[in-house]
Amino acid sequence: MDAKRIVRNGTGLGSYGRTLVNDLIRLGDEQMHLRLYAPDMGRDDLRGQIIGDGNVQFCYPKGHPSAVRKAWWRTHSMVGDLKRDGVEVFHGLSGELPIGLRKVGIKGIVTIHDLIFMRYPEYYHWLDTKMYEWKFRKTLREADKIIAISERTRQDIIELGGDEYADRIQVIYQSFSPRYSVEIRAEKKAEVKNRYHLPNRYILNVGTIERRKNLLLAANALDVLPQDIHLVAVGRQTEYAKDLPHHDRIHLLSGVTDEDLAAIYAQAEVFVYPSRYEGFGIPIIEAIAAGLPVVACKGSCLEEAGGPDSLYVDPDHVIEMAEAIKMSLRGARRREERIARSKEYIHKFEGNDVADQVARLYRELL
C-alpha cells in the first residue's frame, strides 16, 4: 500500500489510509501481509496510530534521499522494491499508482477520492492541475481495479476518464474511526472545552479552511442566528480564512488531535458542511456518529454521505443555511428523530464491512 499520506497527513487522505489499514488488520486474516511503502518515516504520532501486528511492515527507500528523489522513487523506482519484496497486489490509497506495475506483473488497485482538480480547476494552480490530470490518466492505465469512494466519484471517473474504465470501477465507501461514536467522558469534554476556549453553544465545521469549502456561508449565517450561537471551525487555514468576518463568535482551530476532535464533536450542537464540491465528505459521517444533526450543501456527493435525514441548502443562500441551522438546534422539532435515523443510515460506512469489501477485492485479483 502507498503509505505516504498515512505517515504525513493528519486528516483527509491520511485518515482514510490509517482507518482502512487498521480495519484490515482487525479482520484477522493471517494470510494477508501488509507492507506500507512511504518515502520517509513521516510523523511519529501518525505512524503510531497503526495498531500493528506481525503482518504489518513499513518500507522506505534506502538512504536519505532528497525531496526530488523521494518523489521519483514513489512514482518510478518503488516498482523495483515491490518486485524485490514479492508484492502481489499494490493499493494506491490516494489516487495514483507507480508507473510500471503492469510491466512487472503486479496487480494494481487505486482508490480515487475525487476529481475536483478537473471539475473545478479554478481552485488550483494551473500547473498542479496539469500534473494531477497526467497522474490520473497514467493511473487509469495501470489499474486493474479502481475503488471510487462514492457514486458521484464513480460517475466523474467515467465522464472525465473514459467509459472504457467503467467495468473496473467498484464503489466502496470510506469508513470512519470508531472514536467518534464512543461516549466521551465528562472530564475529557471539560478539559478540551477549557483548552480550546470553546463557547457553550456552537455549530461545528471540520476541514481545510479554503475557498472551495465555502465556510463564509456558515459565517454569514451567524448574523441571523441567536446571539449565543458561535461557529467553531477545525482545520488547516489558507489565505481564504482572511475573508471570514472577524468577530468573537467565530473560532478557528488548527493542530487539533484526533482525541480532542472527538470531544469537540461531542459538545457541538449542529454540524455544518457548506462545501461546493466533495468526493465524499467523511466529516459528515463522523458528525452523525457523534450524534449531531448535519446541514450541508447541494451539488456534489454530500447527500450521498449524509443520507435523507440531513438538511441540504444552496451553497450561495445564506438565509437557507441559517434556517436549516435553526431547524437543527437543540429543542427544534424532530431534531432527535432525524439524528436517530441518520445514525441508522451510516451503518453502511462502518469499518469491518468496508475492510471486508476491500479484502475481497484483493483476493479476487490474486
Side-chain angles (χ1 to χ4, degrees):
M1 304 175 94
D2 177 7
K4 175 184 175 181
R5 308 294 182 180
I6 286 176
V7 302
R8 288 189 181 181
N9 290 42
T11 58
L13 298 178
S15 293
Y16 171 77
R18 289 187 296 274
T19 301
L20 177 58
V21 168
N22 286 337
D23 288 340
L24 287 168
I25 292 168
R26 291 187 184 102
L27 288 178
D29 184 346
E30 294 181 358
Q31 293 184 319
M32 185 188 297
H33 297 267
L34 301 179
R35 300 178 71 92
L36 308 182
Y37 289 82
D40 52 46
M41 296 180 70
R43 289 167 48 183
D44 292 346
D45 60 321
L46 299 180
R47 198 174 61 255
Q49 290 179 26
I50 301 299
I51 57 179
D53 62 13
N55 286 2
V56 182
Q57 179 181 351
F58 279 95
C59 306
Y60 311 102
K62 293 180 179 178
H64 300 281
S66 66
V68 172
R69 288 187 61 194
K70 288 177 186 178
W72 179 264
W73 173 82
R74 187 164 172 260
T75 304
H76 298 275
S77 307
M78 187 201 302
V79 170
D81 292 357
L82 301 176
K83 186 69 175 175
R84 178 201 64 207
D85 296 342
V87 170
E88 297 172 283
V89 174
F90 183 81
H91 187 170
L93 297 174
S94 55
E96 55 186 294
L97 291 171
I99 295 170
L101 282 180
R102 281 182 176 270
K103 189 174 180 180
V104 298
I106 297 173
K107 300 292 187 182
I109 298 177
V110 63
T111 298
I112 295 181
H113 298 261
D114 62 67
L115 295 177
I116 299 170
F117 57 90
M118 295 175 75
R119 281 282 179 212
Y120 291 94
E122 63 269 25
Y123 293 133
Y124 298 83
H125 189 282
W126 69 270
L127 188 58
D128 288 338
T129 63
K130 296 298 182 186
M131 177 60 71
Y132 296 154
E133 184 175 351
W134 177 80
K135 286 186 175 183
F136 166 62
R137 298 198 185 282
K138 293 288 286 186
T139 291
L140 290 183
R141 291 194 286 272
E142 291 284 355
D144 295 280
K145 290 289 184 180
I146 301 164
I147 294 174
I149 65 165
S150 67
E151 182 59 34
R152 173 69 266 170
T153 295
R154 188 189 77 85
Q155 294 170 7
D156 282 352
I157 295 168
I158 294 171
E159 181 180 338
L160 300 173
D163 57 11
E164 66 267 32
Y165 300 106
D167 60 351
R168 299 187 200 174
I169 304 172
Q170 181 173 335
V171 175
I172 300 180
Y173 289 109
Q174 184 174 350
S175 60
F176 61 95
S177 172
R179 69 168 55 88
Y180 299 108
S181 52
V182 174
E183 182 68 28
I184 308 294
R185 293 180 296 106
E187 295 84 358
K188 177 65 176 178
K189 289 181 183 178
E191 172 203 331
V192 167
K193 181 178 180 182
N194 181 61
R195 179 153 17 108
Y196 294 101
H197 307 290
L198 297 176
N200 291 325
R201 301 184 70 192
Y202 60 92
I203 57 177
L204 176 66
N205 172 265
V206 174
T208 304
I209 301 171
E210 59 182 330
R211 188 155 57 99
R212 174 175 56 86
K213 300 286 190 178
N214 196 30
L215 186 61
L216 186 60
L217 181 71
N220 287 337
L222 286 176
D223 292 337
V224 287
L225 291 174
Q227 287 297 306
D228 62 338
I229 299 294
H230 293 233
L231 170 63
V232 173
V234 179
R236 180 176 61 84
Q237 298 177 33
T238 68
E239 284 293 308
Y240 173 77
K242 296 177 181 177
D243 295 338
L244 301 176
H246 295 282
H247 58 64
D248 58 6
R249 293 172 65 197
I250 297 178
H251 310 260
L252 305 182
L253 307 178
S254 56
V256 175
T257 66
D258 288 343
E259 292 75 16
D260 288 351
L261 180 58
I264 292 173
Y265 271 119
Q267 298 176 81
E269 207 160 319
V270 182
F271 186 77
V272 292
Y273 206 66
S275 181
R276 294 185 180 277
Y277 203 86
E278 294 291 331
F280 184 53
I282 194 65
I284 287 178
I285 313 300
E286 295 169 351
I288 292 172
L292 295 179
V294 169
V295 178
C297 282
K298 306 170 185 174
S300 58
C301 69
L302 300 183
E303 294 97 330
E304 197 175 345
D309 292 289
S310 296
L311 301 180
Y312 306 95
V313 303
D314 186 300
D316 293 303
H317 205 299
V318 174
I319 298 303
E320 266 191 40
M321 171 59 77
E323 290 302 317
I325 291 172
K326 287 178 183 177
M327 292 168 61
S328 305
L329 294 173
R330 292 193 185 106
R333 189 172 65 89
R334 299 183 59 200
R335 176 183 188 268
E336 302 308 317
E337 181 183 331
R338 283 170 36 223
I339 291 172
R341 287 205 298 258
S342 292
K343 283 189 170 184
E344 287 295 317
Y345 175 80
I346 66 168
H347 281 325
K348 64 181 179 180
F349 305 124
E350 289 179 341
N352 285 339
D353 181 53
V354 174
D356 188 59
Q357 291 180 71
V358 173
R360 284 203 303 268
L361 204 54
Y362 295 163
R363 287 192 288 268
E364 180 184 325
L365 286 179
L366 290 172

